[in-house]
Amino acid sequence: MSEHVTADPAPYYRAHVFVCTNEREPGHPRGCCREKGGDDLRDYMKKKATGLGLGKAVRINNAGCLDRCELGPVLVVYPEGVWYAVTSKADIDEVLQTHLVEGKRVERLMLLPTDKLPADIVARRVAAE
Amino acid sequence: MSEHVTADPAPYYRAHVFVCTNEREPGHPRGCCREKGGDDLRDYMKKKATGLGLGKAVRINNAGCLDRCELGPVLVVYPEGVWYAVTSKADIDEVLQTHLVEGKRVERLMLLPTDKLPADIVARRVAAE
């Protein structure tokens, strides 16, 4: 796709995490990450990342609608482009430790590009057991 | 850094653009992207991207503070992690056409990891002439 040939600048952040905190009107059929706790999870993740000493190299950002509302709360880690559906502080702890500290992946929370509904994730997990 | 060995899922978006729209209190020494027009530029970029037919593969997102306030309004394109300082609709048009449509780079608007102040960008541009 890209016709760009020279190297891009070095990354400004080693990992740039975007946590969806978008809010829709109550009752919207797609729901929204904020009503599912995205806001609190983002605050928790930011504070915890600082506590882990991830410092300036890892940025925990809030983001507007990432357009995967049905699967929320969701977050995405760039530059690797790995998406997670997170529903608790324990999930956040696991993403922080396993992905951002150890450079591994939290398979059970990862989203595939084809995931559209929570049932997709559940079906995949059941199949893996 | 990463100990991860298996392939990550395919990207959900071919390009995921985050435009800083963060607002600080008036008079803050770092300034903020919103007071510099980040909000309008994000709205314009989103509408224009749709008009260009970039469709679902390219997502123009708003973001909270990206922490490069002094250089704002700023945006970052992932997964490539290329940052731009944009100040006008013409800048946005150029990023859309050159980077997102043609897969090249808009060198004159790009930020380096070492850029801290607008003077850094200006000095680099003058040196390149």
Side-chain angles (χ1 to χ4, degrees):
Chain A
M1 177 68 210
S2 177
E3 299 176 28
H4 182 63
V5 287
T6 58
D8 285 326
Y12 187 69
Y13 297 119
R14 171 171 74 77
H16 203 164
V17 180
F18 293 90
V19 185
C20 187
T21 60
N22 188 55
E23 182 170 27
R24 291 182 190 275
E25 66 273 23
H28 191 287
R30 299 192 67 191
C32 66
C33 288
R34 183 164 298 204
E35 77 179 359
K36 296 171 192 165
D39 228 28
D40 288 343
L41 292 174
R42 186 262 177 190
D43 289 347
Y44 177 77
M45 190 173 198
K46 190 174 174 72
K47 191 173 173 181
K48 192 74 190 282
T50 304
L52 285 169
L54 289 170
K56 287 275 184 189
V58 173
R59 175 94 183 155
I60 313 297
N61 236 106
N62 61 316
C65 181
L66 299 176
D67 206 22
R68 304 190 81 178
C69 319
E70 296 81 357
L71 297 164
V74 297
L75 62 86
V76 55
V77 185
Y78 283 110
E80 49 267 58
V82 170
W83 292 70
Y84 292 108
V86 288
T87 54
S88 67
K89 290 180 179 176
D91 288 350
I92 294 290
D93 287 342
E94 197 170 344
V95 171
L96 281 168
Q97 181 61 37
T98 304
H99 190 131
L100 295 169
V101 174
E102 299 173 18
K104 300 174 185 171
R105 299 294 180 265
V106 186
E107 304 282 351
R108 72 177 185 87
L109 300 176
M110 277 174 73
L111 294 180
L112 297 185
T114 49
D115 288 335
K116 300 293 175 197
L117 295 168
D120 300 329
I121 314 174
V122 173
R124 189 152 40 83
R125 286 179 197 158
V126 169
E129 278 168 7
Chain B
M1 177 70 209
S2 177
E3 299 177 25
H4 181 62
V5 288
T6 59
D8 285 325
Y12 187 69
Y13 297 120
R14 170 172 72 77
H16 202 166
V17 180
F18 293 90
V19 185
C20 186
T21 60
N22 188 55
E23 182 171 26
R24 291 183 189 275
E25 66 274 23
H28 192 287
R30 298 193 67 189
C32 67
C33 288
R34 183 164 296 201
E35 77 179 358
K36 296 171 193 165
D39 227 29
D40 288 344
L41 291 174
R42 186 264 175 186
D43 290 348
Y44 176 77
M45 191 173 197
K46 190 172 174 75
K47 191 173 172 182
K48 192 74 188 283
T50 304
L52 284 169
L54 289 170
K56 286 275 185 190
V58 173
R59 175 91 182 157
I60 313 296
N61 236 106
N62 60 316
C65 182
L66 300 176
D67 207 22
R68 304 189 81 178
C69 319
E70 296 81 355
L71 298 163
V74 296
L75 62 85
V76 56
V77 185
Y78 282 110
E80 50 267 58
V82 170
W83 291 71
Y84 291 109
V86 288
T87 54
S88 67
K89 290 180 179 175
D91 288 350
I92 295 290
D93 287 343
E94 198 170 342
V95 171
L96 282 167
Q97 181 61 36
T98 303
H99 190 131
L100 295 169
V101 174
E102 299 173 19
K104 299 174 185 170
R105 300 293 181 266
V106 186
E107 303 281 351
R108 72 177 184 87
L109 301 176
M110 277 174 73
L111 293 180
L112 297 184
T114 48
D115 289 335
K116 298 295 174 196
L117 295 167
D120 300 330
I121 315 173
V122 172
R124 187 152 41 84
R125 285 179 197 158
V126 168
E129 279 169 5

